[in-house]
Amino acid sequence: MSRRRRKALPKEPVRCDIEKLSHDGRGIARQDGKTQFVDGALPGETVMAKMVGTRSKFDELRTLEVLESVAERQTPPCDFADLCGGCSLQHMSGDAQIRFKEDTLREHFAHFGGIEPEEWVAPMRSENTLGYRRKARLGVRYVPARESVLVGFREKRNSFLTDIDRCVVLDPRIGERILPLRELLHGLDAYNRIPQVEVACGDDEAVMVFRNMDDLSEDDRSRLVAFGQAHDLHIYLQPKGPDTVHRIWPVSAGHEDERLSYRLDEFDLTMKFHPMDFTQVNAGINRTMVHRAVEWLDVQPGERVLDLFCGLGNFTLPLARKGGQVVGVEGDDAMVVRGRENAALNGLENVAFHGADLHGDFTGQSWAKEGFDKILIDPPRSGAEEICKYLTAFGANRIVYVSCNPATLARDAGVMVRNGYRLVRAGVMDMFPHTTHVESIALFERDSG
């Protein structure tokens, strides 16, 4: 049986009049009743675009030339912005990016929750929209036809790696070393057996974790160590799963030595983490976010506070500094250990960390039976729909919800409102400038009426 031949795409550019933006940041136009999604185009613009994909209900295009631009357009700060999938909004001014993210959150509240906050708060904006990103996974690929190694993010809407030699959104300790990293990898015996490099930065140290699919030769290990020495980087290897990650430079004195750190000066806290732990990518926004969450909860001495999906204690420990009895709960046992390490490091005794399955009813757990006055919840992208059904059992009068997905926040907000809470405030946080990623924060209060 013969395969169906894929229909050839038109080679001639198409003129597109852009009406609005999709939630993934593409311009939307229409032609002959069919929707067109156009990368690199803004509402109100007229562009010439190349067809890069077609479906029965829509076409996908990439902007080649802007015929009529709008004031919101800017020159991307990165030379690779048109192709690289790491960012998708570099052609849009910072103010326009914020408006786009606020509109996205507003639309999701209306669509999924059928609600709107009583107050929209000013967005949290990054002081630095470049060089902010402290965590990333860089793809690595050897290209035989070019006899070279590529390192970076995937191209927009395909699996190819973008040919870059630097990245302006990554922390400069990493972003300015892409070309030397490529040269290093190309010179290894295992040049085609390292598929990715994880990067992580603390306030004082930066790390590269090389995923080595085979045992490395002594020469390769020496080259990696020399690279770390030359560029002031800690070097780790990952031969198999995440639990095999180990440091080869500087020489490790044990697992507890393999830590990075960041400061939350407002709360006199030092937070230590392993390079593979989850941490917020934007240190500046994280400090502002923690301040706002603590301010909104307004913890009073003697109150019991619950921090769900607490991780290494990013919110838990600042809340404990306010004098309440704080319980941090996390589904990842390794992060529970990290939270306890950080509590001990900072001399906090009014805090406890517990591991629990946060996908069902946990109200019967021993740590939950006394109830809570305040709750903070910071779930993954999938949200916390099931958890929200049980929160009323704790009797909390105030809940702060930190979200990395406006759709699941809106859905969960609807659950909260139907279960006796008011959506008092909400706003966006520009954790990922130049991308369509929308982080937000919301305050709920028990409805006394």
Side-chain angles (χ1 to χ4, degrees):
M1 184 175 180
S2 62
R3 291 183 179 180
R4 180 179 296 179
R5 183 171 296 178
R6 185 174 294 179
K7 183 179 178 181
L9 297 174
K11 295 183 179 180
E12 291 297 316
V14 179
R15 182 185 175 99
C16 302
D17 296 317
I18 309 301
E19 301 173 3
K20 58 182 181 179
L21 282 185
S22 64
H23 286 156
D24 65 359
R26 290 186 287 180
I28 296 178
R30 305 187 189 281
Q31 190 170 72
D32 299 328
K34 193 175 186 181
T35 300
Q36 300 170 313
F37 292 106
V38 188
D39 268 320
L42 298 176
E45 292 187 331
T46 299
V47 304
M48 297 299 294
K50 175 184 178 181
M51 187 91 69
V52 295
T54 185
R55 303 288 189 275
S56 60
K57 295 184 178 180
F58 63 88
D59 294 327
E60 297 179 301
L61 302 95
R62 187 172 69 243
T63 298
L64 297 177
E65 180 184 3
V66 179
L67 302 179
E68 297 178 19
S69 66
V70 293
E72 289 78 11
R73 177 170 288 277
Q74 68 174 12
T75 300
C78 175
D79 295 336
F80 313 103
D82 290 342
L83 190 59
C84 180
C87 299
S88 54
L89 297 181
Q90 285 199 13
H91 60 292
M92 182 186 292
S93 71
D95 289 345
Q97 290 182 34
I98 292 295
R99 288 195 298 271
F100 165 75
K101 294 178 181 186
E102 289 182 314
D103 289 346
T104 299
L105 180 59
R106 184 177 289 105
E107 289 170 10
H108 277 96
F109 271 136
H111 180 74
F112 291 100
I115 54 177
E116 183 171 349
E118 297 172 12
E119 176 189 359
W120 287 102
V121 298
M124 296 184 206
R125 301 188 66 164
S126 294
E127 293 181 10
N128 300 308
T129 62
L130 301 178
Y132 69 85
R133 185 164 183 170
R134 289 190 169 192
K135 294 272 287 185
R137 175 178 294 171
L138 301 174
V140 179
R141 182 171 297 171
Y142 175 70
V143 184
R146 301 171 56 173
E147 295 186 346
S148 66
V149 172
L150 301 183
V151 177
F153 301 104
R154 299 190 184 282
E155 293 182 358
K156 292 177 180 176
R157 311 190 201 287
N158 68 52
S159 61
F160 298 114
L161 287 185
T162 313
D163 185 1
I164 65 174
D165 55 25
R166 61 194 293 264
C167 175
V168 299
V169 298
L170 285 176
D171 185 298
R173 292 171 287 181
I174 302 297
E176 295 298 329
R177 291 179 168 88
I178 301 297
L179 182 56
L181 177 59
R182 290 176 56 174
E183 293 170 346
L184 165 72
L185 291 165
H186 188 255
L188 297 179
D189 297 330
Y191 63 91
N192 61 349
R193 299 293 291 164
I194 295 179
Q196 68 187 41
V197 178
E198 299 253 4
V199 298
C201 300
D203 287 348
D204 302 315
E205 304 91 7
V207 165
M208 289 187 177
V209 181
F210 293 81
R211 173 68 176 96
N212 54 305
M213 298 177 68
D214 305 310
D215 290 337
L216 297 182
S217 67
E218 285 304 314
D219 282 347
D220 279 359
R221 290 175 69 93
S222 295
R223 292 184 184 102
L224 290 172
V225 168
F227 183 80
Q229 292 172 324
H231 295 283
D232 195 22
L233 297 169
H234 291 198
I235 304 297
Y236 287 67
L237 297 180
Q238 183 188 344
K240 294 185 180 178
D243 59 342
T244 67
V245 172
H246 62 284
R247 195 172 75 193
I248 62 171
W249 177 258
V251 176
S252 176
H255 292 303
E256 292 186 3
D257 178 51
E258 297 179 354
R259 298 287 186 268
L260 303 173
S261 67
Y262 64 90
R263 286 283 301 168
L264 294 173
D265 287 331
E266 178 182 354
F267 303 96
D268 189 25
L269 293 169
T270 296
M271 309 296 292
K272 289 195 172 183
F273 63 98
H274 186 274
M276 302 299 283
D277 290 343
F278 171 81
T279 55
Q280 299 293 348
V281 304
N282 190 320
I285 288 293
N286 183 57
R287 289 190 292 269
T288 307
M289 175 179 70
V290 171
H291 169 86
R292 177 166 289 180
V294 172
E295 180 183 55
W296 283 7
L297 276 182
D298 190 26
V299 176
Q300 301 299 311
E303 288 187 325
R304 281 177 54 81
V305 185
L306 176 62
D307 180 9
L308 293 171
F309 302 96
C310 66
L312 54 77
N314 188 54
F315 293 104
T316 326
L317 301 191
L319 288 167
R321 281 284 195 234
K322 292 298 181 180
Q325 184 64 40
V326 185
V327 175
V329 184
E330 171 59 53
D332 183 340
D333 290 340
M335 298 300 276
V336 173
V337 172
R338 204 79 70 242
R340 291 170 179 167
E341 290 176 356
N342 280 315
L345 174 68
N346 290 281
L348 286 166
E349 298 181 351
N350 59 325
V351 58
F353 288 88
H354 300 280
D357 178 3
L358 294 177
H359 294 92
D361 185 0
F362 49 80
T363 55
Q365 297 284 339
S366 58
W367 47 262
K369 290 182 178 179
E370 294 183 38
F372 295 94
D373 301 289
K374 310 282 175 66
I375 297 175
L376 187 140
I377 180 169
D378 182 13
R381 289 190 61 78
S382 56
E385 185 175 19
E386 286 301 311
I387 289 176
C388 289
K389 297 176 183 178
Y390 302 114
L391 292 185
T392 54
F394 294 125
N397 54 54
R398 188 170 289 190
I399 298 173
V400 168
Y401 190 129
V402 177
S403 169
C404 60
N405 184 341
T408 53
L409 168 61
R411 178 202 65 199
D412 296 350
V415 174
M416 301 272 286
V417 168
R418 289 191 294 274
N419 282 275
Y421 284 89
R422 297 161 36 233
L423 176 54
V424 178
R425 301 182 195 130
V428 300
M429 305 180 290
D430 199 17
M431 185 71 74
F432 290 83
H434 307 301
T435 77
T436 58
H437 189 90
V438 180
E439 295 255 350
S440 49
I441 185 169
L443 171 65
F444 297 85
E445 292 183 356
R446 179 175 289 279
D447 191 349
S448 58

